[in-house]
Amino acid sequence: MEMKNHSSSTSGFILLGLSSNPELQKPLFAIFLLMYLITIMGNMLIVLAIHSDSRLHTPMYFFLSNLSFMDICFTTVIVPKMLVNLLSETKDISYVGCLIQMYFFMALANTDSYLLASMAIDRLVAICNPFHYDVVMSSQRCLLMLLGSCTISHLHSLFRVLLMSHLSFCGSHVIKHFFCDTQPVLKLSCSDTSSSQIVVMTETLAVIVTPFLCILFSYLRIIVTVLRIPSAAGKWKTFSTCGSHLTVVALFYGSVIYVYFRPLSMYSVVKDRVATVMYTVVTPMLNPFIYSLRNKDMKRGLRKLRERIHS
């Protein structure tokens, strides 16, 4: 199968998946199906618990419920197609289907990034400026932050997909990945991708680094404020409210930085697959546990939800 022109060809790509070993296909299917179901159920419980408990109608939980909803959509863009391919012999995806998957993957991943930044700002205001918290983090402002996160992310994604759609593919059409990500697709192009790589890297830096720097700045301010608290118990109590968020940030950005902030020449198929699984599957699955296991408010909300279901 040959793709001579991106606009005229009706053929597509073949997703190599996590492994080409036939004996691993069914075990991998079972593992990722279980992880996907846990992700959907866990994040759905977080959303329902927050919306059913009026005491959780605060900015922090507003962003958390939207983060959980985005994680459901995010994994749904990738995992179902991967599960189908694990049991299929063809493992193909159409050219348009590949661009659509790429668009929603980038849009939802970037929205996650901006929501994590919004949650960092929430912690910053709550700890460093508690007396003006209700004014600064008003419901209108939180809604604007959410809409801004979605708008910027979708515009970024649209720009990237339009850039990819102008490339020609005339050689191999086998994507050495389990979904249509930018780097493995760029590797297949027979066009000169040097300018595309520069634009992609620059634009990615602008979009992904901005919320990361926002998170970094917020926590530097929080650390300075916490160090001024005289008692060790007071310091621990204040900073412990950030523990769950910091854990998710570390998991998400650790793997994202590893995968995307390297030139195409340093792209490694096996290592990048593992890192990508971390932020596309593992992190969305762990988020509900991270935010609920040591959070008394979330535990109370989940108990209240369970009581409503059983009543």
Side-chain angles (χ1 to χ4, degrees), residues 113 116-117 120 210-220 245 249 253:
S113 181
L116 288 172
T210 301
F212 180 72
L213 289 177
C214 180
I215 293 168
L216 196 62
F217 171 77
S218 297
Y219 276 105
L220 287 173
H245 181 255
V249 167
Y253 276 102

Side-chain angles (χ1 to χ4, degrees), residues 158-220:
L158 180 63
F159 174 75
R160 290 278 290 272
V161 169
L162 287 174
L163 194 68
M164 296 295 290
S165 68
H166 285 85
L167 299 176
S168 297
F169 300 89
C170 48
S172 172
H173 60 284
V174 177
I175 299 174
K176 295 179 180 179
H177 216 324
F178 57 91
F179 73 100
C180 288
D181 200 2
T182 311
Q183 297 284 55
V185 174
L186 273 174
K187 288 282 263 186
L188 300 181
S189 177
C190 55
S191 305
D192 179 13
T193 61
S194 55
S195 58
S196 296
Q197 288 180 55
I198 293 169
V199 173
V200 165
M201 186 66 77
T202 306
E203 207 255 346
T204 299
L205 281 168
V207 174
I208 295 179
V209 171
T210 301
F212 180 72
L213 289 177
C214 180
I215 293 168
L216 196 62
F217 171 77
S218 297
Y219 276 105
L220 287 173

Side-chain angles (χ1 to χ4, degrees), residues 9-306:
S9 176
T10 56
S11 52
F13 299 105
I14 291 174
L15 293 167
L16 196 61
L18 288 168
S19 173
S20 56
N21 187 341
E23 294 180 0
L24 291 177
Q25 302 303 299
K26 289 184 179 178
L28 284 172
F29 175 85
I31 291 167
F32 281 95
L33 176 62
L34 180 62
M35 292 173 74
Y36 179 62
L37 293 174
I38 292 171
T39 301
I40 298 299
M41 291 173 64
N43 283 287
M44 188 60 73
L45 283 173
I46 293 291
V47 172
L48 293 173
I50 290 171
H51 283 272
S52 64
D53 190 346
S54 59
R55 288 174 292 187
L56 295 178
H57 292 175
T58 63
M60 184 64 176
Y61 292 108
F62 168 76
F63 291 124
L64 177 57
S65 65
N66 281 285
L67 180 69
S68 292
F69 176 72
M70 292 299 168
D71 280 345
I72 292 170
C73 299
F74 182 48
T75 52
T76 301
V77 167
I78 297 166
V79 179
K81 179 61 179 174
M82 180 177 69
L83 292 173
V84 170
N85 285 350
L86 282 169
L87 297 182
S88 172
E89 291 184 5
T90 55
K91 305 182 187 299
D92 60 331
I93 185 169
S94 68
Y95 179 78
V96 174
C98 186
L99 290 181
I100 290 171
Q101 187 184 56
M102 191 183 293
Y103 172 84
F104 283 105
F105 159 72
M106 288 189 290
L108 294 166
N110 288 327
T111 303
D112 264 12
S113 181
Y114 277 93
L115 286 174
L116 288 172
S118 299
M119 293 167 82
I121 292 169
D122 174 82
R123 292 297 84 207
L124 170 68
V125 178
I127 293 171
C128 301
N129 197 7
F131 297 112
H132 296 93
Y133 180 78
D134 292 335
V135 176
V136 177
M137 299 303 293
S138 63
S139 55
Q140 292 90 346
R141 193 160 291 172
C142 289
L143 185 60
L144 282 174
M145 289 169 74
L146 173 64
L147 292 174
S149 300
C150 294
T151 303
I152 293 169
S153 300
H154 280 271
L155 287 174
H156 160 77
S157 184
L158 180 63
F159 174 75
R160 290 278 290 272
V161 169
L162 287 174
L163 194 68
M164 296 295 290
S165 68
H166 285 85
L167 299 176
S168 297
F169 300 89
C170 48
S172 172
H173 60 284
V174 177
I175 299 174
K176 295 179 180 179
H177 216 324
F178 57 91
F179 73 100
C180 288
D181 200 2
T182 311
Q183 297 284 55
V185 174
L186 273 174
K187 288 282 263 186
L188 300 181
S189 177
C190 55
S191 305
D192 179 13
T193 61
S194 55
S195 58
S196 296
Q197 288 180 55
I198 293 169
V199 173
V200 165
M201 186 66 77
T202 306
E203 207 255 346
T204 299
L205 281 168
V207 174
I208 295 179
V209 171
T210 301
F212 180 72
L213 289 177
C214 180
I215 293 168
L216 196 62
F217 171 77
S218 297
Y219 276 105
L220 287 173
R221 286 283 309 277
I222 287 169
I223 289 168
V224 170
T225 302
V226 168
L227 290 175
R228 290 174 181 166
I229 299 172
S231 68
K235 289 176 182 177
W236 173 251
K237 185 179 179 181
T238 304
F239 200 72
S240 64
T241 60
C242 307
S244 299
H245 181 255
L246 272 173
T247 304
V248 173
V249 167
L251 283 171
F252 182 83
Y253 276 102
S255 49
V256 166
I257 289 170
Y258 176 81
V259 173
Y260 293 105
F261 289 89
R262 292 176 301 151
L264 197 62
S265 58
M266 293 178 65
Y267 176 74
S268 168
V269 175
V270 177
K271 290 180 181 179
D272 281 39
R273 280 183 199 160
V274 174
T276 307
V277 166
M278 279 299 298
Y279 76 88
T280 57
V281 183
V282 177
T283 302
M285 181 186 71
L286 293 179
N287 282 357
F289 298 102
I290 293 169
Y291 278 106
S292 61
L293 288 178
R294 296 181 63 188
N295 189 315
K296 292 179 181 179
D297 293 332
M298 277 306 308
K299 285 180 179 178
R300 187 186 61 231
L302 288 167
R303 280 197 300 269
K304 190 173 180 180
L305 177 64
R306 185 178 62 189

